[in-house]
Amino acid sequence: GRAIKGLVVMSGDLDAMFTCMLKNILPKLWEKVAYPSLKPLSSWMKDLLERVAFFRLWLSSGAPSSYNLPAFFFQQGFMTGILQMHARRYAIPIDSLSFSYRILKAETPDEVTEPPVDGVYNYGFFLDGARYDRETEMLADSHHKVMNDTMPLVHFVPTANFKRSLKDYECPLYKTAVRAGVLSTTGASTNFIIAVDIPTDKNPDYWV
């Protein structure tokens, strides 16, 4: 604020940040230390406040019945933790565990009052180029002129020696719509999170 008022010299970084704010663009200085996002600055700030509110409620009221998976900076770490807890509870080798998926009828976290016995309920997903048909409970073509469709809550179930159905579509889950990323120092992608199996009555290759 002082640099804008002319009370101190505005550095190149401050000038670039001020220009980004005028153009509703996320400043590069923030982008370097923030989570991946393609949102303009105004939407990014709203999203940031929602993330903070989610974690603040978790800290003050205890573990929620469902989790806003996109709110996490490193989703893979959270999911690994869920598998570790399941492995300890049932004395199962964690190497044998992976996730199976069950899509719920609940559309919002408010509709779920109790957590599952095993695994977690996750929300915050949407489909790009397809939609989830609530009646058939399968993937379907998008409605005319509708590119994105929200998803109901998804139950991530730790399952030992799970073998996915080849009839389901192995839908990749990304942090952003770029659908590309690089391997980080942890060995995980900076954008791809996991593949979620979604039922379909078409050949899964249709959705690729």
Side-chain angles (χ1 to χ4, degrees):
R2 297 182 64 194
I4 296 174
K5 293 177 182 178
L7 299 178
V8 296
V9 176
M10 182 177 286
S11 66
D13 287 340
L14 285 176
D15 181 56
M17 185 181 299
F18 181 57
T19 301
C20 286
M21 289 180 177
L22 291 177
K23 296 180 178 180
N24 197 26
I25 299 172
L26 183 65
K28 291 294 182 183
L29 284 176
W30 296 7
E31 187 177 347
K32 287 180 181 178
V33 295
Y35 47 86
S37 178
L38 302 178
K39 297 178 183 290
L41 182 58
S42 56
S43 298
W44 186 88
M45 285 299 302
K46 180 181 178 182
D47 182 49
L48 176 63
L49 293 175
E50 290 177 353
R51 290 169 184 246
V52 171
F54 168 72
F55 286 110
R56 180 179 289 126
L57 183 63
W58 186 352
L59 286 171
S60 61
S61 304
S65 55
S66 58
Y67 293 85
N68 180 9
L69 192 63
F72 290 87
F73 192 96
F74 185 58
Q75 289 87 352
Q76 292 92 335
F78 170 70
M79 294 188 298
T80 299
I82 297 301
L83 294 178
Q84 289 175 336
M85 290 173 60
H86 188 86
R88 291 193 193 102
R89 178 186 297 175
Y90 296 101
I92 300 173
I94 191 171
D95 292 344
S96 69
L97 290 176
S98 57
F99 285 110
S100 60
Y101 307 94
R102 185 172 67 90
I103 301 175
L104 308 183
K105 293 186 180 296
E107 297 287 340
T108 65
D110 295 335
E111 298 176 45
V112 177
T113 57
E114 295 292 335
V117 175
D118 295 320
V120 290
Y121 296 143
N122 289 322
Y123 64 91
F125 311 128
F126 68 89
L127 289 168
D128 186 6
R131 65 183 176 89
Y132 181 73
D133 192 315
R134 273 65 172 174
E135 294 184 1
T136 64
E137 298 184 341
M138 291 184 176
L139 273 180
D141 289 314
S142 301
H143 290 303
H144 185 54
K145 295 185 179 180
V146 179
M147 286 297 298
N148 302 319
D149 183 57
T150 58
M151 281 284 291
L153 275 71
V154 180
H155 185 185
F156 283 51
V157 188
T159 307
N161 303 312
F162 174 66
K163 293 184 179 180
R164 58 178 302 273
S165 172
L166 298 179
K167 295 181 179 180
D168 293 339
Y169 172 55
E170 198 172 10
C171 182
L173 180 63
Y174 293 101
K175 296 179 182 179
T176 71
V178 171
R179 302 184 202 166
V182 296
L183 287 180
S184 65
T185 54
T186 63
S189 170
T190 55
N191 196 25
F192 174 77
I193 301 173
I194 199 171
V196 178
D197 294 326
I198 304 179
T200 176
D201 57 358
K202 294 182 171 64
N203 187 314
D205 291 342
Y206 175 84
W207 303 106
V208 176

